[in-house]
Every structure is written in structure tokens, then in C-alpha cells.
Amino acid sequence: MPTWDLKKIHNVTTAMDIKQLRNFCKMAELGSLTAVAKGLSLTQAALSRQLTMLESELQVELFRRTGRGLVLTAAGSRLVEQAHLILQQVEQIPSIVRGAADGMRGTLALGLPPSLARTMVVPLIEAFQAHIPEVVMRSVDGLSADLMELVAEGKLDCAIVYNTAPIDKVQLVPLAQESLYLVSGPFHGPALGTSVPLAEIANLPLIIAGRNNAVHQILCQSLDKLGKVPLIAHEIANLNAILDLVHAGHGYSVIPASGIHSCIGDNRLSLHRIRRPALEITLFHALPSKPEDPLSLNELAVLREVVVDRLSQFEADIEAAVLA
């Protein structure tokens, strides 16, 4: 049976009712009052008033208003995570009241990007065995956009995805920021220091996943702001194949911390911080907007705790063992 945090529910719902809470989450997902207003058949002014009242009630700024729309502040990110949990609790009330299952399920079908699948499957399975032994985890790896479609179609219970455009039937909950690193091998190119300015990466032959890959998109967008474009030597979808090509001296790659953690100690590879600016990619928890069989709070908590804790540990290990 889920544990109900009535104090948390009271603190948030004194500021907004359930419908307003859903509207706030939609603003966080789409980043645009115009898009939310159109989708919910509300006026932009009404949504703006809701947001102003909420910020006044909580005495914090929840979004930064930019030319490109709404960007969550740190306080806004914390609220949206709690709001999703509360909405999840509310959605479970009918089945709990009817005396249905206690939220535990036989199998959890989870989607993971390749870099996370490489390093998260074992700790996730061990955490589920330790905390929720009634649930068996089944993992599927793929591109974030493809995983989102599988969640929307009900073929996955949820997924952990990188920056990706929102789609119908899927809600996105911000989870963590993950650093990106430059990986080099025995390529006969310029000597690179421990830290490499982002602008210099535009001059390196890169081995990277295709244009639908979130890392590829972040890299292109970030270089574009500097008036530069990446030099793509090879587009390879498989992470292991990318690392094999870097090993063999065919170029460089930009890879999330989770994808290179297992490379620590490999003397054929060098890892470099990316600076001026640093590159980060956002991880989201993708869930069905209206799940037929919602995840229990225990399942959600285990997933989020393992992913966030492991990412933090990965980056600490990389900094301590390789880049210090």
C-alpha cells in the first residue's frame, strides 16, 4: 500500500487544486503558456494568473521567463517532482478504495537509453530485489524518442530519457542533470588537456550517434551558439561500437558520464572535461499521462533514487579517478 504524505499534499494543494496542479506540470513539460493554453482550451491570461498566484503563495519563483518560453528554476523543479508524485497518489485512490492490488506488479517494463542501460541495469535490479521483491524488472534500451513512443503505446510502463520533445500521452518529470565528457584514444591529433573548451571540439573528428540522438542534438545546439558546427567523422548508433572506434584511433566522441564510467582505468582512453561552457544533458522520467496500471510510489521512489544516486557517484568517480 502506498504511504500517503498528507502534510506534503496539504502544503501543495493549499496553493492549487488538482486541476491547477496538472496545469502547472503541463507548463513545466511544454515550457510555453501559449502551447498549454491551446491544449487545455484555456486563455493564456488565466494560466498566467494561476502561475502568479502559486508563486505568491509559495514565495518562490517557479519559472524564468525567457524569449524561448518558461524555464524551471531549482524551486520549480522540486515542485514539479512532488506534484507528479501527488497526482500519482490521487490517481491510485480508486483502485485502493476498491480493494484492488496494493500497487505492486508482477513485471515493470522500463526503457533506458544505451548509456544508462550499460551501467544502471544491475543496480536497478538489485534495488528492486532488495526493496520490492514482488516486482520483476524488464529493461529495454533504445533512443529516447523511441522509448517515448513505446511509453505512449503502453508497451513500456515508463522510461528514463534524455532531452526529448514532449508527445501526447506521456508526461515528463525532470530527474537529473548529467555531464557530458569528451573521450579520446590514440588519434594523432592535437594534444588535449584535462579540460577542453567546447569550441575546440568543433575541430575534432567525432564518432557519435545519429541526429535523432539527444547527445548529438545537444552538441549541435551548443556549438551553434558559438557559431560552429561539429565535424562528424562517423555516425554510429551503438555505444560499444563508438568506444571500439575511439579505442582504435578513428576519432573522438562526446558521451554522458553513465556511458564512460566503466571506462575508468582503461589506459587506451583519455577522458576530458568539456568547459566554457560545460555540457550537460537533462534526464527525465517518462510516464504515461493516464496509466491503466499506475506505478506504485515504492516503484517510483526506487527508480528515481537509484538513477540519481548512481549518476552522482559516476561523476564523482570520474573526477576523482581520471580528471583530478
Side-chain angles (χ1 to χ4, degrees):
M1 182 77 65
T3 300
W4 297 87
D5 190 338
L6 298 179
K7 181 178 179 181
K8 183 188 297 179
I9 293 175
H10 173 74
N11 288 343
V12 177
T13 54
T14 53
M16 43 186 345
D17 61 28
I18 296 302
K19 183 179 293 185
Q20 291 172 317
L21 202 58
R22 289 195 176 99
N23 291 350
F24 166 74
C25 291
K26 203 68 178 177
M27 293 179 208
E29 179 183 335
L30 298 181
S32 165
L33 285 177
T34 303
V36 176
K38 183 178 179 181
L40 298 177
S41 299
L42 296 173
T43 66
Q44 188 171 335
L47 285 174
S48 182
R49 284 195 299 272
Q50 287 183 14
L51 179 56
T52 300
M53 290 173 61
L54 180 60
E55 290 181 322
S56 176
E57 176 76 19
L58 298 178
Q59 299 182 356
V60 293
E61 185 182 27
L62 298 173
F63 291 102
R64 293 195 309 274
R65 282 72 166 174
T66 71
R68 295 186 178 182
L70 301 175
V71 178
L72 282 168
T73 62
S77 295
R78 289 191 292 270
L79 177 59
V80 78
E81 181 173 353
Q82 297 305 317
H84 278 294
L85 290 175
I86 290 167
L87 292 172
Q88 186 78 35
Q89 290 174 329
V90 171
E91 289 170 357
Q92 289 184 24
I93 289 175
S95 61
I96 292 171
V97 171
R98 289 194 302 265
D102 63 359
M104 301 305 174
R105 296 136 49 95
T107 302
L108 170 69
L110 170 67
L112 294 168
S115 61
L116 288 177
R118 182 183 175 92
T119 49
M120 290 287 181
V121 169
V122 171
L124 279 170
I125 287 177
E126 290 176 347
F128 271 81
Q129 288 175 341
H131 299 289
I132 321 177
E134 301 89 348
V135 176
V136 175
M137 195 191 83
R138 176 174 65 85
S139 69
V140 174
D141 63 295
L143 293 176
S144 293
D146 295 336
L147 295 177
M148 291 271 286
E149 292 290 345
L150 292 174
V151 172
E153 294 168 3
K155 296 178 181 177
L156 289 176
D157 295 309
C158 65
I160 307 299
V161 298
Y162 288 117
N163 291 23
T164 186
I167 64 174
D168 290 339
K169 300 182 180 180
V170 177
Q171 57 177 315
L172 292 171
V173 183
L175 190 59
Q177 294 290 115
E178 185 176 2
S179 295
L180 301 180
Y181 293 87
L182 178 69
V183 185
S184 66
F187 188 86
H188 299 295
L192 299 176
T194 301
S195 297
V196 178
L198 176 61
E200 290 186 14
I201 293 177
N203 303 319
L204 303 176
L206 295 175
I207 306 162
I208 197 165
R211 297 184 183 277
N212 290 331
N213 177 269
V215 173
H216 189 133
Q217 293 172 356
I218 286 289
L219 180 62
C220 289
Q221 292 166 7
S222 300
L223 286 174
D224 182 63
K225 293 177 182 177
L226 301 177
K228 296 181 177 292
V229 295
L231 174 60
I232 308 297
H234 305 284
E235 288 191 359
I236 307 293
N238 184 275
L239 178 59
N240 289 328
I242 289 174
L243 290 171
D244 287 343
L245 286 167
V246 176
H247 276 149
H250 290 282
Y252 305 77
S253 192
V254 174
I255 298 174
S258 57
I260 59 170
H261 183 262
S262 61
C263 299
I264 293 175
D266 187 337
N267 57 17
R268 298 173 297 171
L269 291 176
S270 296
L271 309 180
H272 313 265
R273 300 183 188 97
I274 299 173
R275 292 292 183 263
R276 290 183 285 166
L279 278 190
E280 291 185 329
I281 191 166
T282 304
L283 273 174
F284 293 89
H285 196 173
L287 298 155
S289 298
K290 296 181 179 180
E292 293 183 5
D293 188 8
L295 299 177
S296 74
L297 295 183
N298 284 342
E299 291 169 323
L300 290 170
V302 168
L303 279 171
R304 290 172 180 168
E305 182 177 353
V306 170
V307 172
V308 172
D309 286 353
R310 283 288 168 154
L311 285 180
S312 178
Q313 188 61 53
F314 290 164
E315 296 196 19
D317 290 347
I318 293 169
E319 292 292 324
V322 183
L323 302 175

